[in-house]
Amino acid sequence: MEAVKSKGPKLGMRHLQTLLLFFDIVVAYMARLNVGVAVVAMTNAETSNPDFPEFDWDEKKISYILSSFFWGYVATQFVGGSLCKHFGTKLVMCVSTFGSGLGSALTPLCVMKGGWQAFCAIRVATGLFQGMMFPCIHQHLAKWSPPQERNRLGTLSHTGIECGTVLALGVSGIIAESPLGWPGISYISGGMCFTWCILWWILGANNANESKLISKAERDYIESSLVRAEDFHQKKIPVPWRAIFTSKPFLALCVTRCCAVWGLSTMQHQIPSYMNGVLNMEIKSNALFSALPFLAMWILSYVYALAAEIIQHKQCISLTSLRKCINTMAFWLPAIGLVGIGFLDDDQKTLAITLMTLLVGLNSGTIIGCTLNTIDLSPNHAGILMGIANTTVSFMPIITPLVVGVIVTDTHSRTQWQLVFLIAASVFFVGNVIYLIWGTAKTQPWDAQDFLSTKIKLSSASNDKTNTTSLESSDHVKNS
């Protein structure tokens, strides 16, 4: 009890690990998203530095380049969870980020030699490496975050998504116009990834016991709060696959996260298209307007985290209730706004931009609402759960535009866009209802280290009892 009460330094190694996770997401997202700006500079030299080669790629080829990252990204989500469990998060995350940086650094050379096909290939490879990242991050958070600090540390690390997105949109354009030209975007992104790998290898650690820089007080606090045996980190816990795939709370979480990404994809990518077609506004070409929703998400993520911290400190509701309340705000408020935005006229452009920014910002509550829930359900298998969930989630940004393409045959038709927004709002509503019914923040029985061995023992004991009963019945018949 004394170890739990003594929290060590207010700023310790657990916070440094969180900061490293934050910057890992930042550099990874810059390497992921800078391609949007780079392609514009590569196909239209007048928009950047004209001293570098220009490529004559049509829209179809550009669409292949932009989507090719996700072809690889989907493939390694599941694998990433297993790898970080067997080899540790330190090694796997380093390989993931180094591979991403290498892909960025080699992009100019590959494009010069192999054209758009080589660009697609290097983007697929980058996606393969980055697919391992988030399962590792959740596994790392599970081993370093005391339960009462999980929301704070988890949110701080995940806000690297918004920071990396804003930097990718803003900085990439500046680099393209500089003497470095469009190749500089790739070189700087690669250099940032390599720099992070060096810092991570020096300062990162798989768990508190392995860290050479942590104080004894903080180590005892972390390990005691997680209630683990002394030899926990030396054991390889078998994965209860059947229990995971038949777990109602986990399946509900997967559905909820898919609904979250469906709605977010609609808000981020389809609302600007609606504004362009119906309200006669060009949002995508304006870097400031493009970055506003992500800035809102970044800011409101900290607001949600602070609110959750205050509520947890007062202990007025359970963690399950806290997650469901925040998730309801993050789902249902944007759902209402999505329906409303479809009724705005072209003389309400400022209101449309404000509403779009606010809706995306409010949705940032999904980090605390459902994203971190994988760690609640099973700290021991958090990486595996994240890998499974992210694999299913990664298909949503691919499916959503296809559905919109079927519905919206005329980009100027308000009625068609209203149907798109109504579908997204319905998805938000149903997804949260499922989470309210079956979601929970309670650790599941199959998280136990001895879950599988206990089941085997119980099954064996049951078989022995059955065999014994059968023999006794047989003897009784013979004696009769």
Side-chain angles (χ1 to χ4, degrees):
M1 291 298 296
E2 289 299 321
V4 174
K5 288 179 183 178
S6 175
K7 298 184 179 181
K10 291 184 178 180
L11 288 176
M13 278 301 296
R14 64 191 186 280
H15 301 101
L16 180 58
Q17 299 300 307
T18 302
L19 191 63
L20 288 169
L21 295 181
F22 170 84
F23 281 116
D24 185 33
I25 297 174
V26 169
V27 299
Y29 263 70
M30 288 191 70
R32 176 193 300 195
L33 300 176
N34 60 26
V35 64
V37 178
V39 166
V40 174
M42 295 165 75
T43 55
N44 188 356
E46 294 181 359
T47 62
S48 57
N49 190 333
D51 296 333
F52 292 88
E54 181 177 322
F55 300 90
D56 185 21
W57 297 333
D58 58 28
E59 287 299 321
K60 187 176 182 180
K61 292 175 183 177
I62 292 174
S63 67
Y64 288 151
I65 294 169
L66 295 177
S67 64
S68 56
F69 171 89
F70 294 97
W71 305 345
Y73 187 70
V74 172
T76 51
Q77 294 283 339
F78 187 81
V79 176
S82 298
L83 289 176
C84 70
K85 192 171 181 65
H86 286 87
F87 299 103
T89 54
K90 183 174 181 177
L91 176 61
V92 180
M93 284 183 68
C94 192
V95 170
S96 172
T97 308
F98 184 84
S100 182
L102 190 63
S104 287
L106 292 176
T107 294
L109 177 63
C110 290
V111 174
M112 296 287 192
K113 297 289 185 181
W116 70 271
Q117 295 93 334
F119 204 169
C120 286
I122 204 74
R123 293 294 296 173
V124 171
T126 302
L128 287 169
F129 280 108
Q130 284 202 21
M132 300 183 287
M133 183 178 68
F134 275 105
C136 288
I137 286 173
H138 276 231
Q139 189 71 29
H140 201 67
L141 284 170
K143 291 189 175 182
W144 274 94
S145 303
Q148 57 269 38
E149 297 182 22
R150 190 169 292 156
N151 285 333
R152 183 200 317 162
L153 300 182
T155 301
L156 289 173
S157 61
H158 278 74
T159 52
I161 296 173
E162 289 75 42
C163 180
T165 303
V166 171
L167 289 176
L169 292 173
V171 176
S172 298
I174 297 173
I175 297 172
E177 294 175 358
S178 74
L180 295 173
W182 60 259
I185 298 175
S186 299
Y187 295 144
I188 290 176
S189 292
M192 291 176 68
C193 289
F194 298 147
T195 302
W196 181 88
C197 287
I198 295 171
L199 293 174
W200 174 249
W201 200 252
I202 296 171
L203 302 173
N206 288 319
N207 53 70
N209 283 339
E210 288 187 18
S211 176
K212 297 179 181 178
L213 303 175
I214 193 172
S215 67
K216 183 179 183 302
E218 187 181 13
R219 182 189 298 114
D220 292 343
Y221 164 59
I222 293 172
E223 294 299 314
S224 299
S225 67
L226 296 173
V227 193
R228 289 167 170 171
E230 292 183 2
D231 61 344
F232 170 81
H233 296 295
Q234 283 71 48
K235 289 183 177 180
K236 296 293 183 183
I237 305 173
V239 181
W241 295 108
R242 183 176 180 180
I244 290 174
F245 282 108
T246 55
S247 170
K248 288 182 181 179
F250 177 62
L251 294 177
L253 173 62
C254 288
V255 173
T256 303
R257 290 209 54 219
C258 285
C259 293
V261 174
W262 182 293
L264 181 62
S265 177
T266 300
M267 290 189 293
Q268 288 182 342
H269 304 297
Q270 305 308 328
I271 289 180
S273 298
Y274 159 76
M275 290 181 176
N276 178 250
V278 179
L279 305 185
N280 300 311
M281 297 175 62
E282 185 54 61
I283 298 292
K284 292 182 179 179
S285 63
N286 191 309
L288 175 61
F289 288 158
S290 298
L292 274 177
F294 298 100
L295 283 171
M297 289 189 79
W298 194 0
I299 294 169
L300 287 178
S301 292
Y302 296 128
V303 174
Y304 277 119
L306 180 60
E309 189 83 9
I310 294 171
I311 293 171
Q312 274 194 298
H313 181 71
K314 291 184 176 181
Q315 297 182 341
C316 48
I317 60 175
S318 66
L319 181 58
T320 297
S321 299
L322 174 64
R323 292 216 186 282
K324 289 182 177 181
C325 287
I326 292 180
N327 204 70
T328 299
M329 292 177 62
F331 274 53
W332 285 359
L333 292 179
I336 296 170
L338 274 170
V339 175
I341 204 168
F343 291 93
L344 297 180
D345 296 319
D346 56 4
D347 60 344
Q348 298 173 299
K349 295 177 181 178
T350 303
L351 178 59
I353 294 173
T354 303
L355 190 56
M356 178 188 71
T357 303
L358 184 60
L359 295 183
V360 176
L362 286 169
N363 189 246
S364 63
T366 56
I367 297 174
I368 294 176
C370 60
T371 302
L372 295 176
N373 190 227
T374 54
I375 306 175
D376 301 327
L377 297 178
S378 179
N380 292 333
H381 306 297
I384 295 289
L385 299 190
M386 188 60 176
I388 298 170
N390 254 22
T391 300
T392 56
V393 164
S394 297
F395 287 101
M396 295 303 106
I398 300 173
I399 297 173
T400 307
L402 298 178
V403 174
V404 174
V406 172
I407 297 172
V408 181
T409 56
D410 177 11
T411 56
H412 301 288
S413 171
R414 180 188 297 274
T415 304
Q416 292 177 1
W417 280 111
Q418 286 175 333
L419 180 57
V420 169
F421 297 147
L422 181 60
I423 291 173
S426 301
V427 169
F428 264 146
F429 181 79
V430 173
N432 190 59
V433 169
I434 291 172
Y435 192 59
L436 290 175
I437 297 172
W438 289 290
T440 181
K442 293 181 179 179
T443 302
Q444 298 302 291
W446 40 266
D447 176 67
Q449 298 180 50
D450 59 348
F451 175 76
L452 289 177
S453 58
T454 301
K455 285 193 69 177
I456 292 171
K457 288 178 182 177
L458 289 173
S459 177
S460 178
S462 177
N463 289 335
D464 290 343
K465 186 176 180 180
T466 301
N467 292 335
T468 301
T469 304
S470 178
L471 288 170
E472 287 177 350
S473 299
S474 179
D475 290 342
H476 179 71
V477 171
K478 287 180 181 178
N479 291 334
S480 300

